[in-house]
Amino acid sequence: MILALLQETAARALTFPGAHSVLRPHGPQALRIHELWRFLWIVALVVWVLVVAALLWGAFRRHGPEDGGERSGGGPGMHRAVVGATALTVVVLVVFLVFDFSTGRALTMAPGGELHVQVTGHQWWWEVEYPHPEPYKRATTANEIHVPVGVPVVVELQAADVIHSFWAPSLTGKRDLIPRVRSSLWFQADTPGVYRGQCAEFCGYQHAKMGFQIIAEPRAQFEAWLARQRDSARTPADTLARRGRQVFLASSCPLCHTIAGTMAGGNVGPDLTHLASRRTLAAGTLPNTRGNLAGWIVDPQRIKPGVIMPANQLAPRDLQALLAYLETLE
Amino acid sequence: MRLVPLAPFAALALALVSTLAGCQREARRFRETPPAATASPLVTDDPLQPGPVVISATARSPYEENAYAVSQGEQLYNQLNCVGCHAHGGGSYGPPLMDDEWIYGSEPENIFETIVEGRPNGMPAWRGKLSNQQVWQLVAYVRSLSGLLRPDVAPGRPDHMEARSMPQATTPARPRQSFQPPASTHP
């Protein structure tokens, strides 16, 4: 009862709306990690109480004349107690080891994932690709992984530059992304929702602003989303947006960014084909609103110093047109 | 009167100065110009003169001693596909960048102009595509390829391109300026 209360307090203290937390698992893997954590926590608490009790007993017990002088702390009773405590410690550590090992083993056993997603870590954003046998039907997005609820998802990981680490605490443990090494992990989201993830291996100046979101939604909704993402961008009908498209293609944007359906095919920065459908900008740094987008285009070094995207000098009219165009990229 | 021994203070001052120099080498300057500043031509040349074009620079390369900027330049060099023609300095369609021969000059201002204005026979003009800051970063990296920067500023070669036995690092001879235009541009 008290234990549960303490645990709930800890969970409350470490979570706020929209945050990620190991203490609020939403999938089978996070649940296993949570069970391991709870077991270690309870055992550690019991050990702590026992040690403090022994310490207090030692400090305040009545000292008789027989155990004074050099022989203090000796005696067959004390000897037995020390041996017993050591044996108990060894047993506890072995139990921890076995539990930890079996949890780690269970986490890596993939149940034959139904959905494969390729995630590439860049400084400092995540490229997410949904493969398809037909190359033109591949869907590429950034910093957002949409998955259907209750389906095991296998994530294939690779790094483009330096070591990153994929971590979505509410769903699964960490896995490092190492350049030239392919790794994978799987997870499953049991309840619909938005789960935050984060790079968990220091990867440079903006490591802290390298977040992503896993969006778990019902099957039909996910399929509709994926079908939209596989489409190319349409040429907008609106005159202002058309001008914005021209601004995009004539400026330095296509050197780094791709918009499927146009001549822009850069592969340095995130694919912008469906930019307007994303929830955040700059790897979970800002909500995707028109104002934030404008600020990001004009002066990204203010928002994320050190990011590869340079400041862009655009005439105000060009900027407005560009924003109007980018907002059509649903 | 006893004189205060100066040697420890001098040593301290020397250590401080060398530490500060190290800071300069590693300084990361992310926002050099306010984004609203208009791009002005930093390097101008006067076409109305006999003989080879003389560059009059109005700005110095800011990154000759900055390791971070040089590595950013390396990143841009790879991402913007300079590799496509110049390879990793060895050259293929474009001239090699790691030797001591410079068709259009080896000074930072010369290379800046080469990148911004382009050159005949294939080098595209990057005017309007790159910010001045990015061009200077590229300039610094290109110069590091042929050893014109201090070795502690220049980035190391990627592991997979490293030869088995590292050749002894040597100071290159002064770069040769060859103003002979390529044969194909002769009338």
Side-chain angles (χ1 to χ4, degrees), chain B residues 13 17 21 34 63 121 128 134 147 156:
Chain B
V17 166
Y63 296 132
N121 294 327
Q134 287 175 310

Side-chain angles (χ1 to χ4, degrees), chain A residues 7-187:
Chain A
Q7 208 178 312
E8 185 55 30
T9 314
R12 286 260 166 89
L14 292 171
T15 47
F16 46 93
H20 50 224
S21 172
V22 185
L23 301 177
R24 294 216 187 275
H26 286 280
Q29 301 208 303
L31 203 63
R32 276 184 173 279
I33 294 172
H34 185 245
E35 274 167 12
L36 174 67
W37 178 84
R38 198 168 50 183
F39 177 73
L40 297 188
W41 189 74
I42 290 169
V43 172
L45 188 69
V46 170
V47 168
W48 181 75
V49 167
L50 288 178
V51 167
V52 169
L55 195 72
L56 291 177
W57 177 77
F60 293 111
R61 75 190 163 124
R62 199 173 290 280
H63 289 268
E66 69 277 8
D67 57 18
E70 270 111 77
R71 289 185 62 256
S72 89
M78 184 57 82
H79 185 73
R80 266 205 305 279
V82 169
V83 170
T86 310
L88 192 66
T89 307
V90 170
V91 168
V92 167
L93 288 180
V94 168
V95 169
F96 278 5
L97 184 72
V98 171
F99 197 174
D100 185 60
F101 183 73
S102 66
T103 303
R105 207 174 141 75
L107 290 188
T108 50
M109 301 283 234
E114 215 179 292
L115 177 70
H116 281 251
V117 185
Q118 288 169 358
V119 172
T120 310
H122 296 262
Q123 276 177 323
W124 294 279
W125 59 283
W126 304 86
E127 184 180 351
V128 180
E129 192 174 313
Y130 292 80
H132 195 276
E134 302 284 350
Y136 71 94
K137 281 188 174 174
R138 281 187 200 156
T140 310
T141 181
N143 308 318
E144 246 182 50
I145 306 174
H146 285 244
V147 295
V149 168
V151 170
V153 181
V154 173
V155 184
E156 288 158 21
L157 300 164
Q158 49 185 325
D161 33 43
V162 297
I163 300 178
H164 302 281
S165 187
F166 179 97
W167 189 34
S170 305
L171 296 175
T172 180
K174 297 172 192 171
R175 181 58 51 94
D176 277 9
L177 288 70
I178 300 170
R180 286 174 234 273
V181 175
R182 284 176 176 276
S183 56
S184 64
L185 86 166
W186 74 275
F187 68 84

